[in-house]
Amino acid sequence: ATPQFRDFYVDNVVCNGAEKALQIRGLPEMNIKNIHLQNLVLKTNKGVEITEATGISLKNIYLDCKDTNPLVSVKNSSKVAFDHLTYARAQLLFSVDGKNSSDIKVIHTDLTKAATQTAFGKGADSHSLIIIK
C-alpha cells in the first residue's frame, strides 16, 4: 500500500548551509498532509519546494538562499499557507505549477523585495495564490 505521511509539527529550527531549505513531497495518489512548520531560519543554496501536498502551514520563516529563481515552488498542492515569510532576496518569489494547485495563501509577507512576485505554469490558475495583507 502507499505510505501515508501526515501530521508533522516542527518549531524553532536554524539551518546554515543545507542544499535545500525545505522539500515537502508527497505522491499524486497520496498527498503528504498537515505539515506545520514555524520559527525557522534557513540559510541554504536553494529555497522551498512543496509538491503533491495538502494542509501545509509555514509561519515565521526566514529564507536566505543563493538560488532564488524561484525562492518558493508549489506544485500540485492545496491549502498551503505562508504566514510572515521573510527573505533576504528573491528573483522569483513564488512559482506555482499544476492544475491541482489551489488555496495557497500568503499572509503578512512583504512582496516588494522580489524582482518578480509570482509565476504560474503547467495548468496552474492565477487565482490559486491569494495574497492577504
Side-chain angles (χ1 to χ4, degrees):
T2 304
Q4 294 182 12
F5 294 95
R6 63 178 181 235
D7 301 327
F8 288 86
Y9 296 86
V10 178
D11 190 8
N12 296 319
V13 174
V14 175
C15 175
N16 188 358
E19 179 60 25
K20 194 173 284 187
L22 294 170
Q23 182 171 352
I24 300 171
R25 182 179 295 247
L27 301 169
E29 66 272 14
M30 185 61 66
N31 278 195
I32 190 166
K33 296 179 181 177
N34 303 328
I35 308 298
H36 305 278
L37 307 169
Q38 67 179 15
N39 302 320
L40 308 181
V41 175
L42 307 167
K43 296 181 181 182
T44 62
N45 289 330
K46 296 182 180 184
V48 174
E49 181 182 306
I50 300 171
T51 306
E52 304 291 351
T54 304
I56 308 302
S57 170
L58 293 98
K59 185 173 182 177
N60 297 326
I61 310 294
Y62 173 75
L63 298 172
D64 184 355
C65 305
K66 292 178 183 174
D67 180 0
T68 63
N69 191 22
L71 186 62
V72 176
S73 171
V74 179
K75 299 175 185 171
N76 283 320
S77 297
S78 63
K79 298 180 183 172
V80 178
F82 298 91
D83 186 351
H84 197 253
L85 174 70
T86 57
Y87 52 96
R89 65 192 168 288
Q91 185 174 348
L92 171 58
L93 185 54
F94 292 101
S95 171
V96 179
D97 292 312
K99 64 181 180 179
N100 294 327
S101 290
S102 66
D103 196 20
I104 303 163
K105 294 180 182 167
V106 180
I107 307 160
H108 305 116
T109 297
D110 180 6
L111 306 176
T112 63
K113 294 191 317 184
T116 303
Q117 291 179 2
T118 57
F120 299 91
K122 299 179 185 166
D125 186 309
S126 62
H127 294 94
S128 60
L129 183 79
I130 302 160
I131 299 169
I132 301 168
K133 296 183 181 193

